[in-house]
Amino acid sequence: MSEKSDGSDLCDTSEDTGGGSAVDQVVAQIRQLIDTDGLTVGDKLPTERELCSRFAISRNTVREAMRMLKAYGIVDVRPKVGATLIDQRINRAFDIFSFNVGEISRRTFSDIQGFRELIETGTALAIFDAVTRDDLAELRALNRQMVQARSIVEASEFDFQFHIKLISLIGNQSILDIYGIMKPVILRIMQHGKTRRIIEGETSMEHDAILEAVAASDHLAFQYLTRTHLRKGLATFPEPSSGPEDKAEAP
């Protein structure tokens, strides 16, 4: 039997990540690999091809998992070098951001979107000062790419990049780092209850309206439109049920 196969066929297979669940699973497997293999700072993780073969997953899933670990500050990924462990506090990172795995709840939605609302509406004036025509053109292009995306998962990536581009205008790397760590849960929120019709209609039009407010430096409109946009998905979660003890008795 020929030995020419290098395993790349496994890496080239496509798979539905289910909105990130496959990526979460790979990250958990790499976390376990670090523990069981006794890897320490400076050690290299297995190559993409080796991880594809070991976990029977696609290269795209491995790369997304590596991007997540890089966002956590756990690994450094370089071309032709691969992934090197730079911080062993992976358990701590996962404890802090454990909401990245599991289902999105109404409470998680409110917490994450509330945080984003504080950041994205609170930076309005800085965005107005920094934005250029080229920036607006890039934001409009991202909105078009979102509409033209082949799947909800792909559309959510362009939706995320739209918001990242907007807040990147203020030049605060710490905020971008936090968004990078929160990316998996933000993507799930963006995908929750979404259909192509909603993306092509409501979501894209809300983005367009936000950009019009930016172009006009309309502070009040920008804050209102952004707040409404971020809160829109709350309606897709069921209202919390109240028990008998929560109901006030009639006098």
Side-chain angles (χ1 to χ4, degrees):
M1 184 175 179
S2 174
E3 295 294 324
K4 291 182 180 179
S5 176
D6 59 3
S8 59
D9 52 331
L10 274 175
C11 294
D12 290 335
T13 58
S14 62
E15 65 184 12
D16 183 357
T17 61
S21 60
V23 175
D24 291 334
Q25 184 177 0
V26 173
V27 170
Q29 289 171 317
I30 293 174
R31 177 185 185 182
Q32 184 177 10
L33 181 152
I34 292 171
D35 290 336
T36 57
D37 289 7
L39 300 182
T40 187
V41 173
D43 289 340
K44 290 184 179 179
L45 293 180
T47 64
E48 283 185 5
R49 183 175 291 109
E50 289 169 340
L51 291 172
C52 286
S53 178
R54 184 165 183 165
F55 301 140
I57 42 135
S58 73
R59 177 175 287 145
N60 286 339
T61 304
V62 170
R63 287 178 176 171
E64 185 60 32
M66 285 300 175
R67 282 194 288 268
M68 188 184 299
L69 290 172
K70 185 175 181 180
Y72 282 130
I74 303 302
V75 301
D76 180 33
V77 182
R78 298 183 181 180
K80 298 183 180 180
V81 175
T84 303
L85 191 62
I86 59 175
D87 196 326
Q88 288 181 295
R89 295 176 293 176
I90 191 167
N91 290 326
R92 176 60 175 160
F94 274 86
D95 287 342
I96 295 173
F97 299 104
S98 59
F99 52 70
N100 282 330
V101 292
E103 293 298 320
I104 299 299
S105 66
R106 185 183 179 92
R107 174 63 181 272
T108 299
F109 178 95
S110 296
D111 287 348
I112 298 301
Q113 297 300 80
F115 172 81
R116 291 180 61 199
E117 183 181 322
L118 289 173
I119 297 297
E120 297 183 35
T121 62
T123 55
L125 296 179
I127 289 173
F128 296 165
D129 287 341
V131 71
T132 66
R133 290 184 179 180
D134 288 342
D135 293 325
L136 288 170
E138 183 177 345
L139 285 159
R140 292 189 177 103
L142 286 169
N143 201 29
R144 288 194 300 271
Q145 287 175 295
M146 181 190 71
V147 171
Q148 296 164 359
R150 295 168 295 179
S151 67
I152 302 299
V153 171
E154 184 179 352
S156 69
E157 181 66 36
F158 287 118
D159 191 355
F160 181 80
Q161 292 304 323
F162 176 92
H163 288 271
I164 285 293
K165 171 61 182 178
L166 201 57
I167 61 174
S168 72
L169 297 177
I170 68 175
N172 189 311
Q173 187 58 48
S174 294
I175 291 176
L176 294 178
D177 288 343
I178 292 171
Y179 268 67
I181 292 173
M182 294 168 61
K183 180 178 178 179
V185 74
I186 292 176
L187 289 178
R188 289 190 186 178
I189 284 172
M190 289 174 169
Q191 294 160 17
H192 188 87
K194 287 288 181 65
T195 63
R196 184 171 295 278
R197 179 177 295 180
I198 291 174
I199 290 170
E200 293 174 354
E202 293 177 11
T203 306
S204 64
M205 288 190 292
E206 288 165 9
H207 283 180
D208 282 337
I210 289 170
L211 292 181
E212 288 301 317
V214 172
S217 296
D218 190 332
H219 184 248
L220 292 179
F222 177 83
Q223 288 190 318
Y224 171 77
L225 292 166
T226 301
R227 183 178 298 111
T228 302
H229 174 62
L230 294 176
R231 292 180 179 179
K232 181 65 68 70
L234 189 63
T236 64
F237 293 88
E239 291 284 349
S241 58
S242 57
E245 67 279 3
D246 296 325
K247 299 179 180 179
E249 294 183 0

